[in-house]
Amino acid sequence: MAGGNERSMKALKEVWKRAENSLCADCGKPDPDWASSTLGVFICLSCSGIHRNIPSISKVKSLKMDYWDDAQVQFLAKHGNAVTKAMYEAHIPIYYYQPTYNDCQVLREQWIRAKYERKEFTEPGKQLPYSDGVKEGILWKRGRDNGQFLPRKFLLSEREGCLKYFTKQDAKEPKINVKIDVINATFQPEKIGNPNGLQITYLKDNKTRNIFVYHESGKEVVDWFNAIRSVQFHYLKVAFPIASDNEIKNRLTRNFLKEGYMEKTGPKQREAFKKRWFTLDHRRLMYFKDPLDAFAKGEVFVGSGENGYSVQKGLPSGTQGNFSWHYGITIVTPDREYLFTCETEADQLEWIRAFTSVINQAMTPQEYAIEAYFKFKS
């Protein structure tokens, strides 16, 4: 605010410290210190960079370092996050994923562009590219065995309640045909090595199958993501007619609780520990030789504390397997103990927090059925 007159500075601070402006209007990050002088919203540094890429819509300035004249301050005072959000977020579909500051760039950018540039949520009943109940197009899919990304035709159908993909454009039969209620989708730009990378997972014979895709267009891949959520939402509305919209919304796509490398040993706990990539998807702890493997080498069910599951820091005394990492974790189940090691103490504590959050939750009837399957399989 260097160079600003005292009156403008005081007025700007008054608007800035309103409760409605204490979080970024776009991602919810606390203490935003940038604002759009054309939209009237208070935003964080990261979102200001996205706004800067749509200069025809938004002009951004620092609240700390830039000069704000009286007219600009009055505009901010008249608008602010509450007024502007009421206008641009008036009719967001219940299934639409609203990203936070923890989400990747493509999700946040397309959310901001959807609001201010395309004005997708300003009118009731507006036809949106992810709300038709059907979506067809090309996504670049990673080959299960060769690792190459090749264009594949995908078809999502609400009427059929499934997602299909075809190896050839003119193929009559799909390579896969997956029921929509067993699908999850989560953005994985770093893992896939593409800023628009999307991981689609589904259950096949009660095992998790991974598909890795991307599209050159950030808008297109986010449209696919929200189309999956839209079809899931309407499918579940029929399947669970007495459930509230919010209950169903909470059953749509979910981010993994934690991913990363750990070492593990076998059931006899005398074998050498081997480095594996782990994914904690709620109660399923899966481990892979490579993060981009289609199938897990194994899965561990993580139940609730009241059913005999717990997580402990460290390894049991006398653990015989050789390990190179020294920050141990023990998962106790009713049947056996699982031993892991982490490279750093920070990793160890993050994994323990993630496991604890799952173990502290009561199990649903569906999860008891999954637990029974794991016990039968073992």
Side-chain angles (χ1 to χ4, degrees):
M1 294 183 289
N5 62 62
E6 189 175 333
R7 187 184 65 216
S8 288
M9 288 174 61
K10 183 178 179 181
L12 179 59
K13 287 180 179 178
E14 288 296 317
V15 180
W16 188 5
K17 69 181 183 181
R18 290 178 188 169
E20 68 184 82
N21 300 324
S22 63
L23 302 177
C24 173
D26 297 325
C27 74
K29 191 171 185 177
D31 304 318
D33 54 6
W34 287 72
S36 170
S37 62
T38 52
L39 293 171
V41 289
F42 291 75
I43 53 178
C44 68
L45 174 62
S46 180
C47 288
S48 76
I50 298 172
H51 280 249
R52 195 172 285 113
N53 289 330
I54 44 175
S56 60
I57 305 294
S58 184
K59 306 288 186 186
V60 295
K61 299 173 70 173
S62 169
L63 294 165
K64 294 179 177 178
M65 298 178 289
D66 291 330
Y67 169 69
W68 291 77
D69 62 35
D70 287 344
Q72 290 172 331
V73 173
Q74 288 172 14
F75 183 81
L76 279 183
K78 190 182 296 184
H79 292 81
N81 288 1
V83 169
T84 308
K85 286 165 78 73
M87 180 192 311
Y88 288 100
E89 300 181 15
H91 303 285
I92 302 172
I94 185 76
Y95 57 78
Y96 188 95
Y97 184 83
Q98 299 178 44
T100 72
Y101 55 91
N102 291 318
D103 284 301
C104 62
Q105 176 80 5
V106 68
L107 268 175
R108 290 184 292 108
E109 178 174 354
Q110 292 307 314
W111 162 237
I112 288 169
R113 288 184 179 274
K115 284 200 294 183
Y116 307 122
E117 186 178 46
R118 300 192 291 270
K119 298 181 181 178
E120 292 182 2
F121 315 122
T122 57
E123 304 169 20
K126 186 173 183 178
Q127 192 64 30
L128 299 168
Y130 38 81
S131 62
D132 292 344
V134 62
K135 186 166 179 60
E136 184 175 357
I138 299 297
L139 293 170
W140 288 78
K141 176 189 170 294
R142 187 180 190 271
R144 187 182 72 178
D145 301 317
N146 59 20
Q148 279 186 299
F149 282 89
L150 296 170
R152 295 288 183 255
K153 184 176 81 170
F154 281 76
L155 174 63
L156 176 69
S157 171
E158 181 180 316
R159 182 176 62 83
E160 297 181 47
C162 68
L163 175 69
K164 307 175 185 179
Y165 90 81
F166 303 80
T167 54
K168 295 181 180 178
Q169 279 280 64
D170 57 354
K172 293 182 180 179
E173 294 298 322
K175 177 73 173 179
I176 63 164
N177 186 342
V178 188
K179 286 184 63 179
I180 195 66
D181 60 330
V182 298
I183 289 176
N184 186 32
T186 179
F187 278 90
Q188 297 281 4
E190 292 182 9
K191 185 196 291 188
I192 295 174
N194 185 286
N196 301 334
L198 182 68
Q199 180 175 343
I200 297 172
T201 64
Y202 63 93
L203 290 178
K204 181 178 181 181
D205 301 326
N206 212 25
K207 293 182 180 178
T208 304
R209 165 79 158 94
N210 296 322
I211 295 176
F212 302 97
V213 300
Y214 73 86
H215 196 281
E216 293 92 339
S217 163
K219 178 183 182 301
E220 181 67 9
V221 77
V222 174
D223 283 351
W224 269 103
F225 176 67
N226 280 303
I228 290 171
R229 290 175 61 86
S230 170
V231 170
Q232 281 186 332
F233 180 82
H234 292 105
Y235 178 91
L236 292 172
K237 281 286 285 183
V238 174
F240 302 96
I242 64 172
S244 69
D245 283 358
N246 274 326
E247 285 174 328
I248 292 176
K249 178 183 176 181
N250 291 333
R251 297 184 63 167
L252 303 183
T253 60
R254 63 198 175 274
N255 292 327
F256 299 137
L257 293 178
K258 172 76 176 154
E259 283 196 291
Y261 284 108
M262 289 193 290
E263 294 181 328
K264 72 171 292 292
T265 188
K268 295 181 180 178
Q269 300 180 1
R270 292 193 296 270
E271 301 94 332
F273 282 68
K274 294 180 180 178
K275 182 180 176 182
R276 295 287 183 254
W277 177 267
F278 285 83
T279 297
L280 180 59
D281 185 7
H282 194 48
R283 295 202 185 276
R284 288 177 181 264
L285 176 66
M286 298 165 280
Y287 53 94
F288 306 83
K289 189 172 182 180
D290 184 275
L292 295 176
D293 284 346
F295 291 98
K297 291 184 70 66
E299 300 189 26
V300 177
F301 182 83
V302 183
S304 65
E306 62 187 12
N307 288 286
Y309 293 81
S310 65
V311 58
Q312 299 174 2
K313 187 176 181 180
L315 302 177
S317 59
T319 299
Q320 296 178 20
N322 293 324
F323 47 88
S324 54
W325 293 346
H326 298 281
Y327 297 93
I329 297 174
T330 302
I331 297 291
V332 179
T333 78
D335 301 315
R336 59 169 283 199
E337 294 179 345
Y338 293 88
L339 309 185
F340 311 101
T341 58
C342 300
E343 186 174 16
T344 67
E345 186 178 19
D347 282 343
Q348 178 196 45
L349 295 177
E350 286 179 13
W351 276 110
I352 289 174
R353 278 194 292 269
F355 288 131
T356 301
S357 71
V358 174
I359 290 169
N360 285 345
Q361 296 177 44
M363 286 165 56
T364 66
Q366 294 90 340
E367 288 167 350
Y368 277 106
I370 296 171
E371 181 189 40
Y373 168 79
F374 273 83
K375 289 183 176 180
F376 173 78
K377 183 180 67 170
S378 61

